[in-house]
Amino acid sequence: MLERELINLNIKTLVVGNLLENCYILNIDNNYLIIDPGDEAKTILNHIHGNLLGVLITHYHKDHYSALNDILKYKNVPVYDYKDADKEITISKFKFKVIAYPGHKEDLVGFLFDDKLFSGDF
């Protein structure tokens, strides 16, 4: 279990693309993470009003990562995904665990922030 509680974690859910995929924007003190940028990079980036620190991809089905390259052109940040499975990661005030649960797709992971689990197609 992660030891530190996330204080002031703001979560915005955007529904993007033709398949209406959930994209999450996490914000703590104007530092941002994007989870599953499925489409509509411009729409997603319009919600970033500070420092983008990283992008998290639950799995590589196109509806979960289509806007990734455009976001990385905006700012080249680390991408966290299946290669980080079973790791605890700290980025600024964000702390999360990457949990692998292959099945729907072999590279499927969830991101656990305290008591909040972000999972794609779970």
Side-chain angles (χ1 to χ4, degrees), residues 21-22 27 37 47 56 67-68 81-83 88-89 97 101 118 122:
E21 187 269 331
N22 288 326
N27 172 11
H47 292 274
L56 289 66
L68 179 60
D81 56 17
Y82 67 93
K83 69 184 175 309
E88 285 192 12
I89 296 172
K97 183 169 183 165
Y101 56 95
F118 295 90
F122 183 65

Side-chain angles (χ1 to χ4, degrees), residues 4 7 17 28 40 80 89 91 99 103 110 115-116:
R4 203 176 95 218
I7 298 174
I28 299 176
E40 303 176 39
Y80 301 92
I89 296 172
I91 308 167
I99 301 168
D115 64 348
K116 294 161 186 62

